[in-house]
Amino acid sequence: MTETSFPGWHGTTIIGVKKNGKVVVAGDGQVSLGQTVIKGTARKVRRLTPGGHEVVAGFAGSTADAFTLLERLEAKLEATPGQLQRAAVELAKDWRTDKYLQKLEAMLIVTDGNLLLVITGAGDVLEPEHDIAAIGSGGNFALAAARGLMEADFDAETIARKAMQIAADICVYTNGNLTVEAIDA
């Protein structure tokens, strides 16, 4: 039996870890089409500076969709400088109600160093428990690993890196080519 439907893009694990006044967002670089790795060095964690306020964002899902969302987030942040939660809620409202945006398939983790948020197309703006957020194909593996490491005497970056390595060892859609961005509270 042959598969006639598009197999879909998979890949990427993004994690955000907040500990001791520092937030780190780390993401792998893998993009897969079906069972084939298309690229292993994609950069899915970005530093934004709308209105002079730094924000770090990581995305999982369709790259074009994620860039559309990042551009919209930047516009919201420029309209409400320094108010990440307000900008995130406005983006989520638009994403949920706009017919064009509703078709976008991506998720975002964003932080300004104080807040750590997950933004979804279902209209959710979530501040995760335990100061850890993870999305993407290997997100649950990275989340579990990071939760286990939070009690140890590691900083946010070490926890994020170790959790991503564990996810890469388990999830075939996650690799060890990391982009890591840190931001202080």
Side-chain angles (χ1 to χ4, degrees):
M1 180 176 275
T2 61
E3 178 66 37
T4 58
S5 66
F6 182 75
W9 295 93
H10 290 282
T12 299
T13 300
I14 306 291
I15 190 165
V17 178
K18 181 178 179 182
K19 188 172 181 183
N20 297 332
K22 188 176 197 175
V23 183
V24 172
V25 178
D28 78 321
Q30 185 159 311
V31 177
S32 303
L33 178 59
Q35 296 177 356
T36 304
V37 175
I38 301 297
K39 183 174 183 177
T41 58
R43 189 169 171 264
K44 298 179 183 177
V45 176
R46 311 250 178 214
R47 185 174 296 271
L48 312 172
T49 55
H53 297 274
E54 285 197 331
V55 171
V56 173
F59 64 86
S62 167
T63 304
D65 292 357
F67 279 125
T68 299
L69 294 168
L70 289 175
E71 288 171 5
R72 297 278 181 129
L73 178 63
E74 277 189 292
K76 299 290 184 191
L77 287 165
E78 287 172 1
T80 58
Q83 298 180 51
L84 177 61
Q85 189 164 25
R86 183 173 175 192
V89 168
E90 291 299 317
L91 174 64
K93 285 184 348 188
D94 288 353
W95 194 354
R96 180 79 173 137
T97 59
D98 183 281
K99 290 200 181 290
Y100 167 73
L101 294 178
Q102 285 177 354
K103 296 177 186 193
L104 301 182
E105 296 180 2
M107 291 180 75
L108 303 174
I109 290 179
V110 297
T111 182
D112 60 1
N114 294 310
L115 289 172
L116 177 63
L117 303 172
V118 176
I119 308 171
T120 75
D124 300 316
V125 176
L126 307 168
E127 189 169 2
E129 294 181 337
H130 311 292
D131 293 328
I132 306 164
I135 58 175
S137 297
N140 287 336
F141 302 119
L143 177 66
R147 287 205 41 202
L149 293 166
M150 284 296 275
E151 299 290 325
D153 191 26
F154 296 131
D155 63 8
E157 183 170 343
T158 302
I159 291 169
R161 286 181 180 278
K162 286 180 177 288
M164 289 295 292
Q165 183 57 55
I166 290 168
D169 288 346
I170 298 169
C171 178
V172 297
Y173 298 114
T174 303
N175 70 21
N177 294 330
L178 299 183
T179 300
V180 178
E181 291 284 347
I183 188 167
D184 294 324

